Amino acid sequence: MTKLISGFSKLSKEEKIKWLTENYFHNQSETLDIIKQYWNIDRELQQLHDDFIENTISNFYMPFGVAPNFVINDRPYVIPMVVEESSVVAAASLVGKFWSTRGGFKTKVISTVKIGQVHFMYAGNKSDLEAYFHQNKTELFAATASITKNMEKRGGGILDIQLIDKTDKLANYYQLHVTFETKDSMGANFINSCLEAIAQEFRNDDTEIVMSILSNYVPECLVRAEVSCKVEELGGENPQKFARKFEQAVKIAEIEPYRAVTHNKGIMNGIDAVVLATGNDFRAVEAGAHAYAARDGEYSSLSHCEVKDGIFKFWIEIPLALGTVGGLTALHPMAKLSLEMLQKPSARTLMQIMAAAGLAQNFAALRALTTKGIQHGHMKMHLQNILNQLGASEAEKQEITDYFDTRTVSHSAVVTKFNQLRKSKINWIDFLNEDIVRQKLAKINTNSKPIFGKMNGQQMIEHLSSVTQIANGNWEVDVFVSDEKTARRKPFLDSENELQVGFKASFLSEEPNKLKFSSYSEAIEDLIHQVKVFEKVFEENKNRTVVHPFFGELDYEYWKKFQVKHFTHHFKQFGLV
C-alpha cells in the first residue's frame, strides 16, 4: 500500500486514522487505542476541538496547573499555566509567594501599538511615489472604514500609515508601515484585513504589491514588570552576597549572547505557559520577544538588575501582543476558564500578568543558579516524573521523596533507592504452593480487568499454564537464543529485580490468545496440573535442562527463579500481590 495519498483531508476522522495506522504503525490496535483514549467523551466538545485545526485525529494533552500567591499592583492573582516542564509551575509559585511579602510585582503598560505592513516594489521616481502616497493617504484610511468601524467604537483602529523607503537594503523595495490599536483583541485577522484593503486601494500600474501582512515584531506593544526590596529583606545566610551574584548573573546575560538565549528561555517558560493557558499565540509572542532582545544588533537579556543604595531592583521590559476576546480565547473552554481565573482581565492587564510570570520564572532560575545550582532544584522537580516512570506506588513515592529531601537528586540515585525499597518489600509468589496460588486466584474471575496489559483474568492464568508447559516439554517454541544473549540475560534471574511492566518475549503474539478452557475454574485446575508436572519432570531427571525462549538454556533452579518472577509479575497485573 502506498504511503502517499490524495484527498486525505476529505476522509472522515476514522478513515484518516485507518490509513495512518495501516501505513505508519506496526501495532495498529494499540495505536488506535492510544489515539482514541485521548478523545473527549463529550462528542460536542470533541467536535469543537476537531474544528480548531485540519486533519484532526485526536487531542494532545498538556498539564494545566496554577501558580497562586501572585500580588501584582497590590491585587492578588492565581495564574494559570499550561506547560510540560515540571519545575516551571513550582518555581513560579514559590517566587510569587516570596515577593507577595515584599511589595509584590509592580507593572505598567508602556504602549500597545501593533504593526502591519504592505510590502511593494516601485521602480519609478521616489518623489512621484511620495506625492501619490500623500495624495491618496485619506483614501487609504477610507478603504478600511467598514473593517475598522467596530474596532473604533472600542477605542481602537488605525493610528497612522507611513511610506517607508527600503531601497538601500533591496532594490525598488518600499513599504506602507501601518500602526494599529486593537484594544482587547490580539487583532491578527483585523490587521491583515485592513492591510489587504489598503493594498488594494494603493495599487496602480507602477506598483507591484508583494504581500500584506501583520508583523509579530511589536517593539511598541511594551510592558514592564518590576520587583524591589531592601537587600537584607532578600533573606538567606548572606543576602548581600546573593544580591551581588544575582546582579552579576544578569549583567552576564546582557553582554553574552550564549548565556542570554538560555536566560531568556527561562523567562519564556513562564510567559508561554500563561499564553497557552489563555488561548493566545505563543509562537508570535516568542518571535516578538526574541526579536526585541536583538533590537540593538546583538542578542541580549530581556531582564535587568540593579543593586544601589541598599536596594535590590529586578525588572523586565518585553513586547507582548495579546488578546482576551476573539480567536481561541473565545472558543476553548479552558482558555475561557483561565481568563475568568484571572478575573477577566483586559489585554493590557493580561500583558502585565504575563510579564510578572516571566520575571518570576527568571528570578527563580537565577536564584537557583547563583546559590545551589540549577540541577539541585530542577532534579527535585523531576523526581516525581522519575518515580512515575518506575511505576512507584504512592507509599513508595512518599518514602523516596522524604529520603531525597536533604539529598541531591539524580536519575541513577532515585533508581538505586527505588530498587532497594522494592527489594525489601516484594512479596514474591511461591508458585509451588498450591494453597497460596488458589487463594490469590480466587479473588478474580474470567472477566477481571488488568492494572496493565490486555489480558483478562482467565487469559492470564492460561498464559501462565502455557509458559509452564515450555519447561515441561509440552510446548516447543521455535526461538533461538545465542550463548551471548543467555550470558547477558541469565544473571537477571539471580537478582531481586522484577519483570518490568511491558516486558514481552518475542515469541508471544501482540494480542492475548483466545481462551482454551470454557470456564475459569478449569483454567485454574490446568495451571495447578502444569505446575505439578513441572516438579515431576525435573524430579525424574535432575540434570534436565530446557531452553527458555528469552533467557536460554535453564535447569530446574533457574526455571524456578523465572517462574517466581513470572507468577509475581502477572499476579501484580491483577492486584493480587
Side-chain angles (χ1 to χ4, degrees), residues 118-122 129 132-133 136 139-140 143 176 195-212:
V118 176
H119 304 271
F120 67 94
M121 311 304 285
Y122 174 76
L129 178 64
Y132 176 75
F133 169 71
N136 290 279
E139 279 67 30
L140 299 182
L176 297 181
L195 293 172
E196 289 179 1
I198 290 170
Q200 184 64 34
E201 179 66 27
F202 187 72
R203 73 172 68 244
N204 60 31
D205 293 340
D206 296 322
T207 62
E208 179 188 358
I209 305 296
V210 178
M211 57 185 168
S212 307

PDB file of all heavy atoms in Angstrom, residues 118-122 129 132-133 136 139-140 143 176 195-212:
ATOM      1  N   VAL A 118       2.422  46.723   4.211  1.00  0.00           N
ATOM      2  CA  VAL A 118       2.178  46.362   2.818  1.00  0.00           C
ATOM      3  C   VAL A 118       3.534  46.461   2.125  1.00  0.00           C
ATOM      4  O   VAL A 118       4.124  47.543   2.037  1.00  0.00           O
ATOM      5  CB  VAL A 118       1.162  47.305   2.156  1.00  0.00           C
ATOM      6  CG1 VAL A 118       1.013  46.945   0.677  1.00  0.00           C
ATOM      7  CG2 VAL A 118      -0.186  47.242   2.873  1.00  0.00           C
ATOM      8  N   HIS A 119       4.052  45.364   1.650  1.00  0.00           N
ATOM      9  CA  HIS A 119       5.360  45.321   1.006  1.00  0.00           C
ATOM     10  C   HIS A 119       5.157  45.410  -0.520  1.00  0.00           C
ATOM     11  O   HIS A 119       4.389  44.618  -1.092  1.00  0.00           O
ATOM     12  CB  HIS A 119       6.077  44.019   1.353  1.00  0.00           C
ATOM     13  CG  HIS A 119       6.214  43.798   2.836  1.00  0.00           C
ATOM     14  ND1 HIS A 119       7.279  44.248   3.561  1.00  0.00           N
ATOM     15  CD2 HIS A 119       5.387  43.188   3.730  1.00  0.00           C
ATOM     16  CE1 HIS A 119       7.133  43.904   4.837  1.00  0.00           C
ATOM     17  NE2 HIS A 119       5.981  43.272   4.963  1.00  0.00           N
ATOM     18  N   PHE A 120       5.846  46.368  -1.149  1.00  0.00           N
ATOM     19  CA  PHE A 120       5.645  46.512  -2.595  1.00  0.00           C
ATOM     20  C   PHE A 120       6.930  46.984  -3.286  1.00  0.00           C
ATOM     21  O   PHE A 120       7.865  47.483  -2.636  1.00  0.00           O
ATOM     22  CB  PHE A 120       4.488  47.474  -2.897  1.00  0.00           C
ATOM     23  CG  PHE A 120       4.744  48.904  -2.525  1.00  0.00           C
ATOM     24  CD1 PHE A 120       5.235  49.814  -3.470  1.00  0.00           C
ATOM     25  CD2 PHE A 120       4.505  49.370  -1.237  1.00  0.00           C
ATOM     26  CE1 PHE A 120       5.454  51.137  -3.143  1.00  0.00           C
ATOM     27  CE2 PHE A 120       4.728  50.699  -0.895  1.00  0.00           C
ATOM     28  CZ  PHE A 120       5.210  51.593  -1.850  1.00  0.00           C
ATOM     29  N   MET A 121       6.974  46.809  -4.588  1.00  0.00           N
ATOM     30  CA  MET A 121       8.120  47.210  -5.407  1.00  0.00           C
ATOM     31  C   MET A 121       7.702  48.384  -6.308  1.00  0.00           C
ATOM     32  O   MET A 121       6.594  48.398  -6.869  1.00  0.00           O
ATOM     33  CB  MET A 121       8.606  46.042  -6.273  1.00  0.00           C
ATOM     34  CG  MET A 121       8.799  44.720  -5.510  1.00  0.00           C
ATOM     35  SD  MET A 121       9.903  44.815  -4.101  1.00  0.00           S
ATOM     36  CE  MET A 121      11.481  44.890  -4.954  1.00  0.00           C
ATOM     37  N   TYR A 122       8.616  49.341  -6.427  1.00  0.00           N
ATOM     38  CA  TYR A 122       8.350  50.521  -7.260  1.00  0.00           C
ATOM     39  C   TYR A 122       9.671  50.961  -7.882  1.00  0.00           C
ATOM     40  O   TYR A 122      10.639  51.255  -7.162  1.00  0.00           O
ATOM     41  CB  TYR A 122       7.749  51.637  -6.406  1.00  0.00           C
ATOM     42  CG  TYR A 122       7.576  52.940  -7.146  1.00  0.00           C
ATOM     43  CD1 TYR A 122       6.539  53.122  -8.057  1.00  0.00           C
ATOM     44  CD2 TYR A 122       8.464  54.000  -6.916  1.00  0.00           C
ATOM     45  CE1 TYR A 122       6.380  54.330  -8.733  1.00  0.00           C
ATOM     46  CE2 TYR A 122       8.308  55.215  -7.598  1.00  0.00           C
ATOM     47  CZ  TYR A 122       7.270  55.373  -8.503  1.00  0.00           C
ATOM     48  OH  TYR A 122       7.115  56.564  -9.174  1.00  0.00           O
ATOM     49  N   LEU A 129       6.321  58.830  -6.137  1.00  0.00           N
ATOM     50  CA  LEU A 129       5.686  57.880  -5.224  1.00  0.00           C
ATOM     51  C   LEU A 129       5.214  58.602  -3.960  1.00  0.00           C
ATOM     52  O   LEU A 129       4.092  58.353  -3.475  1.00  0.00           O
ATOM     53  CB  LEU A 129       6.653  56.751  -4.863  1.00  0.00           C
ATOM     54  CG  LEU A 129       6.127  55.703  -3.874  1.00  0.00           C
ATOM     55  CD1 LEU A 129       4.951  54.942  -4.477  1.00  0.00           C
ATOM     56  CD2 LEU A 129       7.239  54.720  -3.488  1.00  0.00           C
ATOM     57  N   TYR A 132       2.142  60.577  -4.715  1.00  0.00           N
ATOM     58  CA  TYR A 132       0.993  59.672  -4.872  1.00  0.00           C
ATOM     59  C   TYR A 132       0.488  59.219  -3.499  1.00  0.00           C
ATOM     60  O   TYR A 132      -0.721  59.170  -3.247  1.00  0.00           O
ATOM     61  CB  TYR A 132       1.405  58.475  -5.727  1.00  0.00           C
ATOM     62  CG  TYR A 132       0.329  57.421  -5.876  1.00  0.00           C
ATOM     63  CD1 TYR A 132      -0.765  57.634  -6.708  1.00  0.00           C
ATOM     64  CD2 TYR A 132       0.426  56.221  -5.172  1.00  0.00           C
ATOM     65  CE1 TYR A 132      -1.751  56.671  -6.838  1.00  0.00           C
ATOM     66  CE2 TYR A 132      -0.553  55.247  -5.297  1.00  0.00           C
ATOM     67  CZ  TYR A 132      -1.644  55.478  -6.128  1.00  0.00           C
ATOM     68  OH  TYR A 132      -2.626  54.524  -6.246  1.00  0.00           O
ATOM     69  N   PHE A 133       1.434  58.898  -2.620  1.00  0.00           N
ATOM     70  CA  PHE A 133       1.059  58.431  -1.280  1.00  0.00           C
ATOM     71  C   PHE A 133       0.305  59.521  -0.515  1.00  0.00           C
ATOM     72  O   PHE A 133      -0.777  59.277   0.037  1.00  0.00           O
ATOM     73  CB  PHE A 133       2.303  57.998  -0.503  1.00  0.00           C
ATOM     74  CG  PHE A 133       2.056  57.760   0.962  1.00  0.00           C
ATOM     75  CD1 PHE A 133       1.334  56.671   1.394  1.00  0.00           C
ATOM     76  CD2 PHE A 133       2.524  58.668   1.921  1.00  0.00           C
ATOM     77  CE1 PHE A 133       1.091  56.461   2.751  1.00  0.00           C
ATOM     78  CE2 PHE A 133       2.284  58.476   3.272  1.00  0.00           C
ATOM     79  CZ  PHE A 133       1.571  57.356   3.688  1.00  0.00           C
ATOM     80  N   ASN A 136      -3.183  60.182  -1.727  1.00  0.00           N
ATOM     81  CA  ASN A 136      -4.172  59.108  -1.522  1.00  0.00           C
ATOM     82  C   ASN A 136      -4.251  58.604  -0.082  1.00  0.00           C
ATOM     83  O   ASN A 136      -4.990  57.660   0.200  1.00  0.00           O
ATOM     84  CB  ASN A 136      -3.844  57.922  -2.434  1.00  0.00           C
ATOM     85  CG  ASN A 136      -4.100  58.224  -3.890  1.00  0.00           C
ATOM     86  OD1 ASN A 136      -5.235  58.155  -4.365  1.00  0.00           O
ATOM     87  ND2 ASN A 136      -3.029  58.597  -4.596  1.00  0.00           N
ATOM     88  N   GLU A 139      -7.686  58.324   1.333  1.00  0.00           N
ATOM     89  CA  GLU A 139      -8.437  57.218   0.734  1.00  0.00           C
ATOM     90  C   GLU A 139      -8.016  55.857   1.309  1.00  0.00           C
ATOM     91  O   GLU A 139      -8.822  54.922   1.373  1.00  0.00           O
ATOM     92  CB  GLU A 139      -8.258  57.222  -0.790  1.00  0.00           C
ATOM     93  CG  GLU A 139      -9.137  58.202  -1.533  1.00  0.00           C
ATOM     94  CD  GLU A 139      -8.780  59.652  -1.237  1.00  0.00           C
ATOM     95  OE1 GLU A 139      -7.585  59.917  -0.965  1.00  0.00           O
ATOM     96  OE2 GLU A 139      -9.691  60.501  -1.240  1.00  0.00           O
ATOM     97  N   LEU A 140      -6.765  55.765   1.724  1.00  0.00           N
ATOM     98  CA  LEU A 140      -6.284  54.507   2.324  1.00  0.00           C
ATOM     99  C   LEU A 140      -7.002  54.244   3.639  1.00  0.00           C
ATOM    100  O   LEU A 140      -7.376  53.102   3.939  1.00  0.00           O
ATOM    101  CB  LEU A 140      -4.766  54.555   2.542  1.00  0.00           C
ATOM    102  CG  LEU A 140      -3.893  54.722   1.297  1.00  0.00           C
ATOM    103  CD1 LEU A 140      -2.411  54.697   1.676  1.00  0.00           C
ATOM    104  CD2 LEU A 140      -4.194  53.631   0.274  1.00  0.00           C
ATOM    105  N   ALA A 143     -10.619  53.299   2.835  1.00  0.00           N
ATOM    106  CA  ALA A 143     -10.782  51.951   2.277  1.00  0.00           C
ATOM    107  C   ALA A 143     -11.035  50.898   3.354  1.00  0.00           C
ATOM    108  O   ALA A 143     -11.554  49.819   3.068  1.00  0.00           O
ATOM    109  CB  ALA A 143      -9.540  51.586   1.461  1.00  0.00           C
ATOM    110  N   LEU A 176       4.357  50.222   3.046  1.00  0.00           N
ATOM    111  CA  LEU A 176       3.439  51.041   3.825  1.00  0.00           C
ATOM    112  C   LEU A 176       3.461  50.472   5.236  1.00  0.00           C
ATOM    113  O   LEU A 176       3.118  49.304   5.454  1.00  0.00           O
ATOM    114  CB  LEU A 176       2.018  50.976   3.244  1.00  0.00           C
ATOM    115  CG  LEU A 176       1.837  51.531   1.827  1.00  0.00           C
ATOM    116  CD1 LEU A 176       0.382  51.419   1.407  1.00  0.00           C
ATOM    117  CD2 LEU A 176       2.322  52.973   1.725  1.00  0.00           C
ATOM    118  N   LEU A 195      -4.889  45.652   6.035  1.00  0.00           N
ATOM    119  CA  LEU A 195      -3.735  45.760   5.145  1.00  0.00           C
ATOM    120  C   LEU A 195      -4.103  45.387   3.713  1.00  0.00           C
ATOM    121  O   LEU A 195      -3.660  46.031   2.747  1.00  0.00           O
ATOM    122  CB  LEU A 195      -2.598  44.877   5.653  1.00  0.00           C
ATOM    123  CG  LEU A 195      -1.954  45.297   6.979  1.00  0.00           C
ATOM    124  CD1 LEU A 195      -0.979  44.232   7.457  1.00  0.00           C
ATOM    125  CD2 LEU A 195      -1.255  46.648   6.843  1.00  0.00           C
ATOM    126  N   GLU A 196      -4.903  44.343   3.562  1.00  0.00           N
ATOM    127  CA  GLU A 196      -5.297  43.922   2.215  1.00  0.00           C
ATOM    128  C   GLU A 196      -6.175  44.982   1.551  1.00  0.00           C
ATOM    129  O   GLU A 196      -6.063  45.239   0.336  1.00  0.00           O
ATOM    130  CB  GLU A 196      -6.004  42.576   2.280  1.00  0.00           C
ATOM    131  CG  GLU A 196      -5.039  41.428   2.607  1.00  0.00           C
ATOM    132  CD  GLU A 196      -5.729  40.084   2.697  1.00  0.00           C
ATOM    133  OE1 GLU A 196      -6.961  40.029   2.490  1.00  0.00           O
ATOM    134  OE2 GLU A 196      -5.028  39.085   2.978  1.00  0.00           O
ATOM    135  N   ALA A 197      -7.034  45.619   2.358  1.00  0.00           N
ATOM    136  CA  ALA A 197      -7.880  46.689   1.806  1.00  0.00           C
ATOM    137  C   ALA A 197      -7.027  47.898   1.414  1.00  0.00           C
ATOM    138  O   ALA A 197      -7.256  48.533   0.367  1.00  0.00           O
ATOM    139  CB  ALA A 197      -8.936  47.090   2.843  1.00  0.00           C
ATOM    140  N   ILE A 198      -6.045  48.223   2.237  1.00  0.00           N
ATOM    141  CA  ILE A 198      -5.139  49.342   1.941  1.00  0.00           C
ATOM    142  C   ILE A 198      -4.339  49.051   0.678  1.00  0.00           C
ATOM    143  O   ILE A 198      -4.166  49.919  -0.196  1.00  0.00           O
ATOM    144  CB  ILE A 198      -4.209  49.601   3.153  1.00  0.00           C
ATOM    145  CG1 ILE A 198      -5.006  50.190   4.314  1.00  0.00           C
ATOM    146  CG2 ILE A 198      -3.053  50.525   2.770  1.00  0.00           C
ATOM    147  CD1 ILE A 198      -4.244  50.260   5.620  1.00  0.00           C
ATOM    148  N   ALA A 199      -3.811  47.812   0.580  1.00  0.00           N
ATOM    149  CA  ALA A 199      -3.021  47.435  -0.600  1.00  0.00           C
ATOM    150  C   ALA A 199      -3.851  47.526  -1.879  1.00  0.00           C
ATOM    151  O   ALA A 199      -3.374  47.989  -2.926  1.00  0.00           O
ATOM    152  CB  ALA A 199      -2.486  46.017  -0.419  1.00  0.00           C
ATOM    153  N   GLN A 200      -5.099  47.089  -1.797  1.00  0.00           N
ATOM    154  CA  GLN A 200      -5.979  47.132  -2.965  1.00  0.00           C
ATOM    155  C   GLN A 200      -6.223  48.571  -3.414  1.00  0.00           C
ATOM    156  O   GLN A 200      -6.229  48.882  -4.604  1.00  0.00           O
ATOM    157  CB  GLN A 200      -7.318  46.445  -2.631  1.00  0.00           C
ATOM    158  CG  GLN A 200      -8.283  46.353  -3.793  1.00  0.00           C
ATOM    159  CD  GLN A 200      -7.753  45.481  -4.930  1.00  0.00           C
ATOM    160  OE1 GLN A 200      -7.051  44.503  -4.694  1.00  0.00           O
ATOM    161  NE2 GLN A 200      -8.082  45.847  -6.165  1.00  0.00           N
ATOM    162  N   GLU A 201      -6.379  49.461  -2.449  1.00  0.00           N
ATOM    163  CA  GLU A 201      -6.614  50.871  -2.768  1.00  0.00           C
ATOM    164  C   GLU A 201      -5.341  51.542  -3.291  1.00  0.00           C
ATOM    165  O   GLU A 201      -5.410  52.417  -4.165  1.00  0.00           O
ATOM    166  CB  GLU A 201      -7.110  51.608  -1.514  1.00  0.00           C
ATOM    167  CG  GLU A 201      -7.372  53.093  -1.698  1.00  0.00           C
ATOM    168  CD  GLU A 201      -8.534  53.366  -2.637  1.00  0.00           C
ATOM    169  OE1 GLU A 201      -9.449  52.509  -2.759  1.00  0.00           O
ATOM    170  OE2 GLU A 201      -8.542  54.447  -3.265  1.00  0.00           O
ATOM    171  N   PHE A 202      -4.192  51.146  -2.790  1.00  0.00           N
ATOM    172  CA  PHE A 202      -2.925  51.808  -3.115  1.00  0.00           C
ATOM    173  C   PHE A 202      -2.354  51.371  -4.462  1.00  0.00           C
ATOM    174  O   PHE A 202      -1.635  52.124  -5.115  1.00  0.00           O
ATOM    175  CB  PHE A 202      -1.912  51.519  -2.000  1.00  0.00           C
ATOM    176  CG  PHE A 202      -0.623  52.271  -2.139  1.00  0.00           C
ATOM    177  CD1 PHE A 202      -0.570  53.635  -1.897  1.00  0.00           C
ATOM    178  CD2 PHE A 202       0.549  51.616  -2.520  1.00  0.00           C
ATOM    179  CE1 PHE A 202       0.620  54.338  -2.022  1.00  0.00           C
ATOM    180  CE2 PHE A 202       1.744  52.307  -2.640  1.00  0.00           C
ATOM    181  CZ  PHE A 202       1.783  53.677  -2.395  1.00  0.00           C
ATOM    182  N   ARG A 203      -2.652  50.142  -4.877  1.00  0.00           N
ATOM    183  CA  ARG A 203      -2.019  49.601  -6.079  1.00  0.00           C
ATOM    184  C   ARG A 203      -2.357  50.430  -7.325  1.00  0.00           C
ATOM    185  O   ARG A 203      -3.447  50.996  -7.442  1.00  0.00           O
ATOM    186  CB  ARG A 203      -2.401  48.134  -6.286  1.00  0.00           C
ATOM    187  CG  ARG A 203      -3.805  47.885  -6.754  1.00  0.00           C
ATOM    188  CD  ARG A 203      -4.049  46.413  -7.113  1.00  0.00           C
ATOM    189  NE  ARG A 203      -4.001  45.547  -5.957  1.00  0.00           N
ATOM    190  CZ  ARG A 203      -3.082  44.592  -5.797  1.00  0.00           C
ATOM    191  NH1 ARG A 203      -2.144  44.421  -6.706  1.00  0.00           N
ATOM    192  NH2 ARG A 203      -3.117  43.816  -4.725  1.00  0.00           N
ATOM    193  N   ASN A 204      -1.380  50.507  -8.217  1.00  0.00           N
ATOM    194  CA  ASN A 204      -1.594  51.097  -9.544  1.00  0.00           C
ATOM    195  C   ASN A 204      -0.652  50.412 -10.526  1.00  0.00           C
ATOM    196  O   ASN A 204       0.042  49.457 -10.164  1.00  0.00           O
ATOM    197  CB  ASN A 204      -1.402  52.624  -9.523  1.00  0.00           C
ATOM    198  CG  ASN A 204       0.004  53.021  -9.090  1.00  0.00           C
ATOM    199  OD1 ASN A 204       0.972  52.296  -9.343  1.00  0.00           O
ATOM    200  ND2 ASN A 204       0.114  54.189  -8.464  1.00  0.00           N
ATOM    201  N   ASP A 205      -0.601  50.910 -11.729  1.00  0.00           N
ATOM    202  CA  ASP A 205       0.204  50.242 -12.761  1.00  0.00           C
ATOM    203  C   ASP A 205       1.699  50.298 -12.469  1.00  0.00           C
ATOM    204  O   ASP A 205       2.469  49.480 -12.987  1.00  0.00           O
ATOM    205  CB  ASP A 205      -0.070  50.867 -14.134  1.00  0.00           C
ATOM    206  CG  ASP A 205      -1.481  50.589 -14.615  1.00  0.00           C
ATOM    207  OD1 ASP A 205      -2.093  49.628 -14.102  1.00  0.00           O
ATOM    208  OD2 ASP A 205      -1.974  51.338 -15.483  1.00  0.00           O
ATOM    209  N   ASP A 206       2.125  51.242 -11.618  1.00  0.00           N
ATOM    210  CA  ASP A 206       3.554  51.411 -11.358  1.00  0.00           C
ATOM    211  C   ASP A 206       4.036  50.664 -10.110  1.00  0.00           C
ATOM    212  O   ASP A 206       5.241  50.585  -9.860  1.00  0.00           O
ATOM    213  CB  ASP A 206       3.886  52.905 -11.195  1.00  0.00           C
ATOM    214  CG  ASP A 206       3.614  53.671 -12.478  1.00  0.00           C
ATOM    215  OD1 ASP A 206       3.887  53.126 -13.564  1.00  0.00           O
ATOM    216  OD2 ASP A 206       3.111  54.811 -12.380  1.00  0.00           O
ATOM    217  N   THR A 207       3.112  50.181  -9.310  1.00  0.00           N
ATOM    218  CA  THR A 207       3.487  49.469  -8.072  1.00  0.00           C
ATOM    219  C   THR A 207       3.142  47.990  -8.189  1.00  0.00           C
ATOM    220  O   THR A 207       2.098  47.626  -8.738  1.00  0.00           O
ATOM    221  CB  THR A 207       2.761  50.054  -6.845  1.00  0.00           C
ATOM    222  OG1 THR A 207       1.357  49.898  -7.018  1.00  0.00           O
ATOM    223  CG2 THR A 207       3.123  51.514  -6.638  1.00  0.00           C
ATOM    224  N   GLU A 208       4.025  47.164  -7.663  1.00  0.00           N
ATOM    225  CA  GLU A 208       3.780  45.716  -7.610  1.00  0.00           C
ATOM    226  C   GLU A 208       3.676  45.302  -6.139  1.00  0.00           C
ATOM    227  O   GLU A 208       4.665  45.296  -5.405  1.00  0.00           O
ATOM    228  CB  GLU A 208       4.917  44.942  -8.281  1.00  0.00           C
ATOM    229  CG  GLU A 208       4.708  43.432  -8.234  1.00  0.00           C
ATOM    230  CD  GLU A 208       5.919  42.651  -8.726  1.00  0.00           C
ATOM    231  OE1 GLU A 208       6.913  43.288  -9.140  1.00  0.00           O
ATOM    232  OE2 GLU A 208       5.868  41.410  -8.667  1.00  0.00           O
ATOM    233  N   ILE A 209       2.462  44.992  -5.719  1.00  0.00           N
ATOM    234  CA  ILE A 209       2.258  44.559  -4.337  1.00  0.00           C
ATOM    235  C   ILE A 209       2.813  43.141  -4.174  1.00  0.00           C
ATOM    236  O   ILE A 209       2.428  42.225  -4.904  1.00  0.00           O
ATOM    237  CB  ILE A 209       0.759  44.572  -3.956  1.00  0.00           C
ATOM    238  CG1 ILE A 209       0.158  45.951  -4.207  1.00  0.00           C
ATOM    239  CG2 ILE A 209       0.586  44.148  -2.504  1.00  0.00           C
ATOM    240  CD1 ILE A 209       0.732  47.061  -3.368  1.00  0.00           C
ATOM    241  N   VAL A 210       3.731  42.974  -3.237  1.00  0.00           N
ATOM    242  CA  VAL A 210       4.322  41.648  -2.980  1.00  0.00           C
ATOM    243  C   VAL A 210       3.486  40.887  -1.967  1.00  0.00           C
ATOM    244  O   VAL A 210       3.116  39.735  -2.168  1.00  0.00           O
ATOM    245  CB  VAL A 210       5.774  41.779  -2.492  1.00  0.00           C
ATOM    246  CG1 VAL A 210       6.368  40.404  -2.184  1.00  0.00           C
ATOM    247  CG2 VAL A 210       6.622  42.510  -3.525  1.00  0.00           C
ATOM    248  N   MET A 211       3.193  41.565  -0.843  1.00  0.00           N
ATOM    249  CA  MET A 211       2.386  40.908   0.186  1.00  0.00           C
ATOM    250  C   MET A 211       1.931  41.942   1.208  1.00  0.00           C
ATOM    251  O   MET A 211       2.526  43.015   1.348  1.00  0.00           O
ATOM    252  CB  MET A 211       3.155  39.793   0.891  1.00  0.00           C
ATOM    253  CG  MET A 211       4.445  40.224   1.527  1.00  0.00           C
ATOM    254  SD  MET A 211       5.381  38.827   2.206  1.00  0.00           S
ATOM    255  CE  MET A 211       6.969  39.616   2.521  1.00  0.00           C
ATOM    256  N   SER A 212       0.869  41.558   1.950  1.00  0.00           N
ATOM    257  CA  SER A 212       0.320  42.417   3.006  1.00  0.00           C
ATOM    258  C   SER A 212       0.142  41.551   4.245  1.00  0.00           C
ATOM    259  O   SER A 212      -0.633  40.586   4.219  1.00  0.00           O
ATOM    260  CB  SER A 212      -1.028  43.003   2.586  1.00  0.00           C
ATOM    261  OG  SER A 212      -0.918  43.637   1.326  1.00  0.00           O
TER     262      SER A 212
END
